[in-house]
Amino acid sequence: MLLQVNDLSKSYGITAILSNISFQIQDRERVGLVGVNGAGKSTLLQILAGLMSHDGGVIHRAKETRIGYLAQNSGLQSNRSIIEEMRAVFAALIEAEQELRRLEREIADPALHEDEKRYQDTLERYARRSDWFKDQGGFEIETKIKSVLHGMGFGDTDPGTPVSSLSGGQKTRLALARILLQAPDLLMLDEPTNHLDIATLTWLEDYLRGYAGAILVVSHDRYFLDATVGTIIEIERHQAKRYAGNYSRFVDLKEAEFESAMKQFEKQQDEIARMEEFVRRNIVRASTTKRAQSRRKALDRMDRLDRPQGDLKRAHFRFEIERTTGRDVLEANDLSVGYGDNPEPVFRNASIRLERGDTAALIGPNGIGKSTLLKALIGKQSPLTGSIRWGTHVKLGYYDQEQTELSGTNTVLEEVWSAFPGVEEARIRTVLGNFLFSGDDVKKRVSSLSGGEKARVALAKLMLLQANVLILDEPTNHLDLYSKEVLESALLDYEGTLLFISHDRYFLNKIAERMIEMTSSGTVDYLGNYDDMMEKKKVMEELRLEAREAARNSASAAASANAGAAADKQAGGASSYEADKQARRDERARQRRMEQLESDITRLEELSSELELRLADPDVYQDYVQVQSVQEELSSAKALLEAAYAEWESLA
């Protein structure tokens, strides 16, 4: 056992944050800490890390347990370069390496050989330090650093870059890279998935699955939790409860637990009602008074169950529209956008087409220009090239992940009401109540709100807008797990057109019906959600590998045939019989392979013809999404067909 917490409590004044928190973490255990925003998750991690005091309870740590803690959005602050900061993690090993180099120079010095004792002592120290250096991974320092930096998105960044020159998101990723290299016995991470794109998230999941120590992680990324943890600890109503399994399993267990408790409660309530009714009807009748009194005593002795507490209050809302758009909503072709005097655009050849009711997700690595593309579409950024045409009756609603459109000097009420001055105050207050702003909460200044609260204000304004096209930039950022579920429900019921950016793969799987992948050279469309896209990419990669392998096999077969012929000619004499025998075997194998190739060629030709006919179908060629999908299949079929032709010709 690495860590044990017993009856931990923490309050701010008279406000309780944590009460009677008890749990333990075993070696190599992966634990997810969940709960609504404000539940006390970050407070608990800071207490465990020794950065904050607690009011009551005891924390036991195993002897010599090293705890590493990364706070939420805590960027690395340093005057050193990236590589210097990473190497500083291995200061003891680097110092040992320097000592080994010094000892090597001493051993090579002829003067040392004259003092036998000193010479032997130096050799022994060198052997001990060398073994320790090897056991501690000294020879893998540079490999570890390169691997982690590459995984965290710094593969193309000059390692000599000063840390101070990095953006806030880059500093946060670098802080995460540093703590991963430190490899503490217990790794505590508070929202580590912030500022990570999907490729980096996937790498981090793989890294944490193989991590040698234990992990305690706070995250609102359900896909990440499902992939990395085997235990969930939920903090709710100031207390902690442990569940075995990942996040999806936790949701099922909690729901089943609530249903079971509610059935027990309702069953007892029915029993109490029957007993009370019996007492009421029979207490005054002489023949049944004793039985009624017995029932009354049983009621008094009964250990009555409390009504199970359901979920905490959640925001609830719907996105409604005033009127529908025309069928064609957006036609954006060959867009490129750049900044300042830089001749190179951030991206080029970006094309997006939306029809009424489409739900499309825009994805791509950090820095590729996704947010810039959305701003170009809504007129906040001028494209260098390309065209943008919106359809008829389009009313846009835009959600900015940075919340730059909120005024920090306004109160919550003023912020929403000023955007909709024609709406009566009672309606504004009702909407804000739906977003969990009630009573004096509406008088808070926007500048004092948390990230999650600002997100709810922005969503309240978006709901009142009644837009028929929603453009959302990272709408799940800053939202807790439960608020995300509410947003998902609202978007699933939305009758308008939706285009959004997200790195939340759970959210992408639940909401997206199309994936638009953005690269520096253009955009690629995939039908379906995130998992569908990844499966299609996997199939396409397998087809490409098969085509390359087939081409290699054909070349190899030709080379083998030539070599075999030359060998037969040289062998002659006594070996001619064996050579003839082998030649016959090779010929049979060649014939069988040619028959297989002829069958494959026929099948691939039929498939190519079928796909070409589909491209000519009006129902297909008018739908660019279907065209993209069919074209990808056709390209793969033709690649395999060309490889089959090449191999057949070499064998023939």
Side-chain angles (χ1 to χ4, degrees):
M1 182 188 67
L2 286 179
L3 181 77
Q4 183 166 357
V5 178
N6 293 321
D7 297 327
L8 187 76
S9 61
K10 176 69 178 178
S11 299
Y12 292 122
I14 61 172
T15 304
I17 304 299
L18 303 168
S19 302
N20 303 318
I21 301 290
S22 296
F23 63 89
Q24 61 184 25
I25 298 175
Q26 305 291 340
D27 292 346
R28 293 185 60 83
E29 190 172 19
R30 280 87 169 97
V31 181
L33 190 62
V34 303
V36 298
N37 284 341
K41 304 184 297 295
S42 296
T43 299
L44 177 57
L45 290 191
Q46 290 180 60
I47 291 172
L48 297 179
L51 301 177
M52 183 182 292
S53 63
H54 52 286
D55 301 328
V58 180
I59 301 172
H60 296 286
R61 297 182 183 87
K63 188 177 180 181
E64 298 182 355
T65 295
R66 295 179 302 119
I67 294 180
Y69 167 61
L70 183 68
Q72 186 177 164
N73 297 323
S74 58
L76 189 61
Q77 305 301 323
S78 173
N79 295 321
R80 294 185 284 202
S81 68
I82 292 175
I83 192 64
E84 287 172 342
E85 194 60 51
M86 297 302 103
R87 284 175 178 161
V89 171
F90 304 100
L93 282 170
I94 291 173
E95 183 180 343
E97 185 176 22
Q98 292 170 349
E99 183 185 1
L100 287 173
R101 301 291 85 80
R102 180 179 59 78
L103 290 171
E104 287 170 356
R105 288 193 297 271
E106 288 184 16
I107 293 169
D109 185 356
L112 181 65
H113 295 216
E114 297 175 3
D115 187 337
E116 182 65 25
K117 184 177 185 308
R118 187 175 160 216
Y119 177 65
Q120 290 300 325
D121 289 346
T122 304
L123 286 177
E124 289 177 9
R125 176 158 182 78
Y126 180 83
R128 288 196 305 272
R129 293 297 280 166
S130 182
D131 289 344
W132 180 87
F133 182 77
K134 180 181 178 181
D135 293 342
Q136 297 300 311
F139 294 109
E140 291 85 40
I141 291 175
E142 294 301 322
T143 302
K144 288 178 181 177
I145 290 175
K146 287 179 182 178
S147 174
V148 171
L149 285 178
H150 185 272
M152 295 308 298
F154 292 97
D156 297 327
T157 304
D158 181 359
T161 303
V163 174
S164 57
S165 69
L166 301 177
S167 68
Q170 288 174 316
K171 289 178 180 177
T172 299
R173 286 190 282 120
L174 200 61
L176 179 53
R178 192 179 194 278
I179 200 169
L180 291 178
L181 288 172
Q182 289 171 344
D185 302 311
L186 173 58
L187 180 62
M188 299 196 303
L189 305 174
D190 193 353
E191 289 290 352
T193 60
N194 289 351
H195 306 289
L196 303 186
D197 57 26
I198 291 176
T200 310
L201 275 170
T202 303
W203 179 88
L204 180 60
E205 288 166 357
D206 289 339
Y207 189 91
L208 293 180
R209 276 194 289 265
Y211 188 69
I215 299 168
L216 176 61
V217 58
V218 172
S219 180
H220 293 151
D221 187 324
R222 294 154 293 182
Y223 201 105
F224 176 79
L225 288 173
D226 275 350
T228 56
V229 307
T231 301
I232 293 289
I233 295 177
E234 183 188 32
I235 298 184
E236 188 176 52
R237 298 181 176 91
H238 316 306
Q239 298 188 334
K241 185 163 186 180
R242 183 185 187 95
Y243 295 85
N246 61 14
Y247 180 78
S248 295
R249 176 65 174 159
F250 150 73
V251 172
D252 293 339
L253 287 173
K254 190 177 180 187
E255 183 179 355
E257 181 183 82
F258 175 78
E259 290 177 357
S260 176
M262 182 58 76
K263 285 180 182 178
Q264 293 295 323
F265 173 77
E266 291 173 348
K267 182 179 179 181
Q268 188 183 66
Q269 290 298 301
D270 290 343
E271 180 65 20
I272 289 171
R274 285 194 297 271
M275 292 172 70
E276 288 177 340
E277 176 65 16
F278 182 88
V279 171
R280 186 186 63 78
R281 287 188 290 103
N282 294 283
I283 194 67
V284 296
R285 295 172 59 186
S287 61
T288 56
T289 295
K290 287 186 178 180
R291 278 193 292 161
Q293 289 174 340
S294 176
R295 297 286 176 89
R296 178 181 284 172
K297 290 179 181 177
L299 281 168
D300 292 339
R301 292 193 303 269
M302 183 179 290
D303 185 11
R304 302 198 179 202
L305 301 173
D306 293 328
R307 184 181 186 86
Q309 293 177 304
D311 290 329
L312 294 167
K313 186 179 179 183
R314 300 186 185 184
H316 59 93
F317 56 94
R318 287 176 57 88
F319 291 116
E320 297 178 343
I321 62 176
E322 283 183 326
R323 65 182 298 181
T324 58
T325 64
R327 178 183 173 184
D328 296 321
V329 173
L330 171 65
E331 186 80 47
N333 292 312
D334 299 324
L335 296 179
S336 66
V337 174
Y339 291 108
D341 298 328
N342 191 343
E344 280 297 312
V346 178
F347 61 84
R348 52 168 57 89
N349 302 326
S351 298
I352 297 178
R353 182 170 180 266
L354 295 176
E355 292 186 354
R356 183 177 60 237
D358 277 354
T359 299
L362 183 65
I363 67 165
N366 284 340
I368 200 66
K370 301 185 295 298
S371 296
T372 302
L373 175 55
L374 291 194
K375 289 175 181 176
L377 294 178
I378 64 174
K380 288 182 174 289
Q381 179 75 37
S382 298
L384 298 175
T385 62
S387 62
I388 300 171
R389 184 177 64 81
W390 288 99
T392 57
H393 309 309
V394 166
K395 184 177 182 181
L396 287 173
Y398 173 63
Y399 178 95
D400 178 11
Q401 66 166 318
E402 303 296 337
Q403 313 299 353
T404 56
E405 298 187 355
L406 300 181
S407 174
T409 58
N410 281 341
T411 64
V412 172
L413 180 60
E414 290 168 346
E415 178 63 29
V416 178
W417 204 1
S418 63
F420 303 94
V423 180
E424 61 274 14
E425 181 180 357
R427 166 66 174 153
I428 298 293
R429 284 182 174 271
T430 298
V431 169
L432 287 173
N434 291 342
F435 285 86
L436 306 183
F437 293 105
S438 57
D440 290 340
D441 290 340
V442 301
K443 298 177 183 178
K444 290 181 179 178
R445 294 287 172 190
V446 170
S447 58
S448 70
L449 300 179
S450 67
E453 289 171 326
K454 287 179 181 177
R456 296 205 305 270
V457 172
L459 288 171
K461 293 173 67 175
L462 199 61
M463 191 198 84
L464 284 165
L465 187 61
Q466 295 187 311
N468 51 26
V469 178
L470 293 180
I471 307 293
L472 311 180
D473 190 354
E474 294 284 3
T476 61
N477 275 7
H478 308 297
L479 296 182
D480 60 35
L481 292 163
Y482 311 105
S483 298
K484 285 183 181 182
E485 291 172 0
V486 174
L487 176 61
E488 287 164 359
S489 297
L491 292 177
L492 286 170
D493 293 337
Y494 179 57
E495 296 179 353
T497 304
L498 175 63
L499 175 64
F500 67 95
I501 295 171
S502 181
H503 291 143
D504 187 326
R505 292 155 296 172
Y506 192 102
F507 186 77
L508 289 169
N509 276 337
K510 195 162 185 179
I511 302 298
E513 296 172 353
R514 269 175 58 203
M515 303 293 295
I516 303 173
E517 185 176 30
M518 193 170 174
T519 69
S520 57
S521 58
T523 48
V524 183
D525 264 81
Y526 298 89
L527 285 175
N529 60 18
Y530 173 77
D531 282 350
D532 294 330
M533 180 191 75
M534 295 307 294
E535 182 61 30
K536 187 151 195 174
K537 279 188 165 189
K538 181 181 177 182
V539 171
M540 296 297 295
E541 181 61 24
E542 288 173 351
L543 288 172
R544 281 193 289 270
L545 290 173
E546 285 179 12
R548 284 200 293 267
E549 184 64 26
R552 281 197 298 268
N553 287 341
S554 64
S556 176
S560 296
N562 292 335
D568 288 347
K569 186 175 181 180
Q570 290 176 1
S575 61
S576 62
Y577 174 75
E578 288 298 329
D580 290 342
K581 193 174 179 182
Q582 181 62 44
R584 287 193 294 273
R585 283 199 295 267
D586 291 342
E587 177 60 21
R588 287 195 295 271
R590 188 181 71 86
Q591 290 292 342
R592 285 196 297 271
R593 180 57 183 158
M594 288 183 69
E595 290 172 4
Q596 178 62 51
L597 286 168
E598 287 165 358
S599 175
D600 290 345
I601 288 169
T602 301
R603 176 178 57 82
L604 290 167
E605 285 176 339
E606 291 174 353
L607 176 60
S608 298
S609 299
E610 179 186 336
L611 292 170
E612 287 170 345
L613 287 173
R614 286 181 63 191
L615 284 175
D617 187 337
D619 291 336
V620 174
Y621 70 67
Q622 292 178 2
D623 185 336
Y624 82 105
V625 177
Q626 285 196 58
V627 169
Q628 177 76 26
S629 178
V630 174
Q631 189 62 56
E632 288 175 356
E633 292 183 50
L634 181 59
S635 297
S636 296
K638 286 188 173 181
L640 290 173
L641 185 59
E642 289 177 8
Y645 276 137
E647 186 178 355
W648 188 90
E649 288 174 1
S650 68
L651 293 175

